[in-house]
Amino acid sequence: MYKKRLLPITILLGGIVMSSCVSNKKYVALETQHRDLAELYQKGQMDLTESRAKIKSLEDQLEYERKNNASLREAYAKLQSTLDNSIAQNSQGNVNISKLVDEINASNKYIQHLVNTKNKSDSLNMVLTNNLTRSLSREELKDVDVQVLKGVVYISLSDNMLYKSGSYEVSDKAGETLSKIAKIIQDYRDYDVLIEGNTDTDPISKPNIRNNWDLSTLRASSVVQALQTMYGVDPKRLTAGGRGEYNPIADNTTANGKARNRRTQIIITPKLDQFMELIDKAPETEAPSI
């Protein structure tokens, strides 16, 4: 009877123990699950915090870039304005530079024209001089000096060769030399001819000559009339002038110096109103201001 009662109790205890074992397993499983969830939650919180920090950083960076972009836009606007002004000024500058280049080219063209004109004038005068000197004999060249100075031909004749002693009348021996000079003058019809008388400082004592002014002018006038009447030079091309003793080329204190100063110069030069036509036509435009 006792054994029969003991058997249910044993079964019951066994059930309780079995039940207890099952509960412990569930508890351990739940506890493990809870711990895992807690770790996941903690990790989620950390990830969330990190994400929020990244978002804040990105938002700060975005704000910075917005401000920087605004500054760049402002700087760009200023730069564009400066560029527009520079382009406008440069366009005007290009116009001014172009105008300046045109003026420089015109100036260079005019200068080159003047150089060519001078060279051509000098060449013509040299031809004239060479023609004259070739025509003169060695004896005549002793009393005739031919020079080209600044584009003008100067033929200097000694008074001993030209005039009678103490007179302003042209001597017979001067005729051949004057005829050669007259031929050159006739060959260059576009040239004007100035006959210029010069004396030394010795005073003149003649009843019909007051002083060296008169003597120098009368001598020049005699040569002019000889060229006109004897050699057919157009008198419209001729001018007679006297400079007395006031245009010396040597010292008047020596006999040799006085002899050199007693001279008559025949100055051959292009007519002023025909000079450019004789050499070449001047540029149609006015000479630029240089």
Side-chain angles (χ1 to χ4, degrees), residues 41-67:
Y41 175 77
Q42 186 67 26
K43 186 176 184 301
Q45 286 293 101
M46 292 176 64
D47 291 343
L48 179 61
T49 301
E50 185 178 349
S51 297
R52 286 175 177 172
K54 288 182 179 180
I55 291 172
K56 181 66 169 62
S57 176
L58 290 173
E59 288 176 345
D60 291 343
Q61 186 175 355
L62 179 61
E63 183 64 22
Y64 171 79
E65 294 298 336
R66 284 174 178 170
K67 291 180 180 180

Side-chain angles (χ1 to χ4, degrees), residues 266-284:
I266 300 177
I267 303 172
I268 305 175
T269 181
K271 294 179 181 180
L272 294 178
D273 59 343
Q274 298 177 3
F275 179 74
M276 297 309 292
E277 292 182 1
L278 172 67
I279 305 303
D280 197 359
K281 289 186 177 181
E284 295 182 1

Side-chain angles (χ1 to χ4, degrees), residues 128 131-132 178-193 226-238 266 268:
L128 185 155
N131 289 344
L132 177 59
L178 282 179
S179 69
K180 295 175 181 178
I181 295 174
K183 183 179 185 307
I184 295 296
I185 293 174
Q186 293 286 49
D187 289 342
Y188 291 84
R189 297 183 181 276
D190 291 313
Y191 281 60
D192 277 332
V193 182
L227 290 172
Q228 176 187 352
T229 59
M230 298 176 63
Y231 307 108
V233 178
D234 186 355
K236 294 179 181 178
R237 300 172 56 195
L238 300 173
I266 300 177
I268 305 175

